[in-house]
Amino acid sequence: MDDQELGFKAGAVIQVLDASNKEWWWGMIDDKEAWFPASFVRLRVNQEDFIGKFPHEQLDAHCSKHCLHKNVENQEQMRTNVIKEIMNTERVYIKHLKDICEGYIRQCRKHTGMFAEAQLSIIFGNIEEIYKFQRKFLKDLEKQFNKNEPHLSEIGSCFLRHQTEFGIYSEYCNNHPNACLELAKLMKQSKYRHFFEACRLLQQMIDIAIDGFLLTPVQKICKYPLQLAELLKYTTPAHSDYKSISAAYEAMKNVAHLINERKRRLESIDKIAQWQMSIVNWEGQDVLSRSSELIHSGELTKISRQGKSQQRTLFLFDHQLFFCKKDMLRRDMLYHKGHVDMDEIKVVNIEDGKDKDFNIHVKNAFKLQNETTEEIHLLCAKKPEDKQRWLQACIDERKRVEEDKEIGFEISESQKKQAMLNAKKSRQSKMKGMNYRGFSVPPLHQSLHPLHQRHITVPTSIPQQQVFALAEPKRKPSPFWHSFSKLTPFKK
């Protein structure tokens, strides 16, 4: 930075003193005045708190007509400002998508010697589908936009009509990290750097690198709830669009939540596939055929009708519960010992004492009753708190299944197959490189409590000028995944 450049953080509010130059503005933060790039900031839609800090005379003297308005406290004017910003940002976004599709993708396809189609699919994902959808969405918005009296515009219905179609952003957001990695590999070579820069200049795009353009769809889908929240703020209950805007706001929050959830679950299916590959003598269909999240795991005693006790390690996923047995010598090795369909199971809490079905005394027990076959599994925990965790986990599993139904969550067959293929390849490479003599035994499996963590969801009370990208907060690795990632079972 030069001495006359203004430093600021994301979310900072800058008082604009001179905006005559479209690229560099003169502004002030905390009594410090300096230049800052106009492209790094967004004009505030809500100026109410800003006006409270500075006298009107100062605003009239220093602020350009693009920044502040004297009558921003007027409800209709405020709604007009928000509507205009939604329309303008949508048009700019369409321009960005067009530049990516016509400026980058079209040129890349002409140079088959530099790019394979599979490579382009990784870098650009389904952005062409997004471009096609967004053009249709903007056309719908333009029909509802009242040019003469923008505050009377009724755009809420547009979001409601297209809410399911916004789901295509999920695929793009999930693929974006892979796109960044693939692009980073190419950018190490000067010929690719020069190629992408030539594409940008040929298309007359703004001075942003290709990775910046590819981030815009991720930012955009997170921005919709913020814009609708701001619009709802200045839409009175008497307004004809109030109910639609309110419903649209909730719908777009749900879209963002679904995208976050899909991203989180996709990250977990690779680990689940690896877990299955570590289980010896696996029988039946893959766990991913019906499940996509581990809810709980731990050790329980399984009791037969003859009173025989069996120590088992159980893994509860959505829809399925798996029984495993530890090897007598290699305690880190697990053998597959069957599973039950949780969709057909009724969980019954058992009081300590004699059980009438099994005619034995039990403690810290509960039953899994199959309502179709009438088969019963009697399970006992070591401690009362362990039993309560399992009972709660079974409740959480049913909630997860219902929630998935409500939001329409599902993982494609191709994604499941890819996860299993990756796990098999990883398994084979580990087996080849295994040093049998120098093998060290990893720690025993530890209980994994129900997973309630989620990706960052779109907030509703943060200043609109902030830009949000899909990101997951850093978390400590799960002790369970840490344990089984070291599993290296082999046949004796």
Side-chain angles (χ1 to χ4, degrees):
M1 285 177 55
D2 293 334
D3 291 338
Q4 286 200 335
E5 280 191 60
L6 190 65
F8 57 93
K9 297 180 180 180
V13 178
I14 304 171
Q15 183 189 5
V16 183
L17 304 178
D18 184 358
S20 56
N21 185 304
K22 70 175 184 178
E23 294 183 357
W24 287 88
W25 289 354
W26 185 260
M28 181 173 70
I29 297 181
D30 298 330
D31 298 327
K32 180 183 178 181
E33 296 184 18
W35 294 105
F36 65 95
S39 60
F40 280 32
V41 299
R42 290 178 58 237
L43 297 177
R44 286 177 62 95
V45 174
N46 182 4
Q47 301 292 341
E48 289 177 342
D49 57 337
F50 204 61
I51 287 180
K53 295 178 182 179
F54 302 99
H56 287 276
E57 293 77 15
Q58 184 180 357
L59 297 176
D60 292 338
H62 297 294
C63 296
S64 71
K65 63 181 180 180
H66 300 290
C67 304
L68 303 171
H69 300 280
K70 291 176 65 176
N71 299 322
V72 291
E73 293 179 319
N74 181 278
Q75 191 83 358
E76 291 184 357
Q77 183 61 51
M78 290 306 302
R79 194 173 199 276
T80 294
N81 292 345
V82 180
I83 288 286
K84 284 184 176 180
E85 177 167 330
I86 290 174
M87 297 303 299
N88 289 337
T89 54
E90 202 65 29
R91 293 166 187 145
V92 171
Y93 178 51
I94 287 291
K95 174 66 167 59
H96 287 335
L97 293 177
K98 180 181 179 181
D99 287 342
I100 294 170
C101 294
E102 298 182 4
Y104 287 121
I105 300 178
R106 184 180 295 177
Q107 293 299 327
C108 288
R109 286 186 175 139
K110 291 179 181 179
H111 294 75
T112 54
M114 293 178 67
F115 302 95
E117 191 61 36
Q119 199 172 30
L120 295 179
S121 179
I122 294 175
I123 296 173
F124 297 102
N126 64 332
I127 201 166
E128 290 175 303
E129 294 179 37
I130 292 176
Y131 177 40
K132 182 179 179 181
F133 160 67
Q134 289 292 159
R135 281 186 297 173
K136 181 173 66 174
F137 178 66
L138 178 59
K139 188 176 181 180
D140 201 3
L141 276 180
E142 296 283 9
K143 289 180 181 178
Q144 299 298 117
F145 178 54
N146 189 325
K147 296 180 181 179
N148 297 324
E149 297 179 286
H151 67 278
L152 297 179
S153 299
E154 300 177 1
I155 65 172
S157 59
C158 298
F159 288 92
L160 295 175
R161 278 194 294 272
H162 297 284
Q163 60 177 306
T164 55
E165 295 172 89
F166 279 107
I168 62 174
Y169 276 86
S170 180
E171 180 181 338
Y172 187 87
C173 294
N174 291 333
N175 177 70
H176 187 255
N178 296 329
C180 293
L181 291 174
E182 187 66 29
L183 193 59
K185 292 178 185 177
L186 297 182
M187 295 302 258
K188 291 178 181 179
Q189 303 178 48
S190 59
K191 69 174 183 178
Y192 286 101
R193 293 196 299 270
H194 294 153
F195 174 81
F196 287 126
E197 179 62 11
C199 291
R200 186 186 70 81
L201 295 172
L202 188 64
Q203 187 69 14
Q204 297 182 337
M205 304 185 207
I206 59 175
D207 191 7
I208 297 178
I210 181 174
D211 55 347
F213 278 103
L214 295 179
L215 181 63
T216 51
V218 180
Q219 295 174 331
K220 186 63 178 177
I221 196 64
C222 292
K223 190 176 176 183
Y224 281 126
L226 296 173
Q227 289 179 321
L228 289 171
E230 191 77 0
L231 182 58
L232 185 62
K233 184 178 177 181
Y234 298 108
T235 303
T236 62
H239 196 287
S240 56
D241 200 28
Y242 180 81
K243 289 185 178 179
S244 293
I245 290 296
S246 181
Y249 169 60
E250 293 299 328
M252 293 311 294
K253 277 204 305 182
N254 289 337
V255 167
H257 168 71
L258 179 57
I259 291 173
N260 289 333
E261 182 64 10
R262 279 178 176 159
K263 181 173 174 60
R264 188 182 69 82
R265 299 280 278 277
L266 274 175
E267 290 169 352
S268 71
I269 67 170
D270 287 326
K271 295 177 181 178
I272 293 175
Q274 293 169 24
W275 169 82
Q276 179 180 322
M277 295 306 298
S278 74
I279 305 299
V280 182
N281 298 336
W282 183 271
E283 296 180 1
Q285 60 186 4
D286 293 334
V287 61
L288 291 178
S289 63
R290 299 188 60 210
S291 305
S292 61
E293 182 175 32
L294 177 68
I295 307 296
H296 192 65
S297 67
E299 293 188 10
L300 292 173
T301 300
K302 187 170 182 282
I303 303 177
S304 67
R305 287 191 177 275
Q306 292 74 34
K308 182 181 178 181
S309 298
Q310 298 173 321
Q311 292 298 316
R312 294 288 182 260
T313 302
L314 278 66
F315 298 88
L316 177 62
F317 295 85
D318 51 311
H319 297 287
Q320 300 179 96
L321 174 67
F322 290 88
F323 297 92
C324 294
K325 176 185 177 182
K326 287 185 177 181
D327 186 89
M328 293 297 292
L329 299 177
R330 289 282 309 281
R331 302 298 288 172
D332 58 294
M333 285 181 64
L334 293 173
Y335 293 84
H336 182 266
K337 289 296 178 181
H339 79 283
V340 296
D341 185 346
M342 293 302 292
D343 293 345
E344 300 176 351
I345 291 295
K346 178 183 179 182
V347 181
V348 181
N349 185 17
I350 304 296
E351 297 291 336
D352 292 350
K354 189 173 183 179
D355 179 70
K356 61 180 181 180
D357 292 327
F358 285 68
N359 198 32
I360 57 174
H361 283 82
V362 295
K363 188 176 182 180
N364 304 324
F366 63 96
K367 291 179 183 177
L368 302 179
Q369 295 181 351
N370 190 308
E371 297 182 313
T372 303
T373 64
E374 297 184 355
E375 181 183 11
I376 300 177
H377 298 274
L378 178 60
L379 302 169
C380 296
K382 291 182 179 179
K383 301 176 182 179
E385 52 266 33
D386 293 336
K387 170 186 171 180
Q388 291 304 317
R389 289 193 190 103
W390 274 105
L391 292 176
Q392 183 59 48
C394 292
I395 295 173
D396 292 341
E397 184 272 337
R398 288 294 87 190
K399 286 181 179 178
R400 170 44 47 83
V401 171
E402 289 301 316
E403 183 180 299
D404 287 350
K405 286 182 181 179
E406 290 176 5
I407 65 178
F409 174 81
E410 61 180 14
I411 295 175
S412 68
E413 290 300 319
S414 61
Q415 289 169 327
K416 294 176 183 178
K417 289 179 180 178
Q418 187 61 49
M420 291 304 300
L421 182 62
N422 293 340
K424 287 177 182 177
K425 288 181 179 179
S426 175
R427 176 82 181 142
Q428 289 170 356
S429 63
K430 286 181 180 179
M431 292 299 289
K432 288 179 181 179
M434 183 187 296
N435 182 348
Y436 292 96
R437 293 181 180 177
F439 184 81
S440 60
V441 179
L444 296 176
H445 290 283
Q446 300 178 28
S447 295
L448 178 67
H449 301 303
L451 298 177
H452 296 298
Q453 292 170 307
R454 295 288 184 271
H455 279 255
I456 296 175
T457 52
V458 179
T460 59
S461 60
I462 292 180
Q464 187 179 351
Q465 71 268 26
Q466 285 190 342
V467 178
F468 291 86
L470 286 177
E472 185 173 23
K474 292 184 178 180
R475 301 182 300 203
K476 294 182 178 179
S478 164
F480 166 71
W481 294 125
H482 176 73
S483 296
F484 98 79
S485 66
K486 292 185 177 181
L487 290 178
T488 51
F490 57 92
K491 294 183 180 178
K492 297 180 182 178

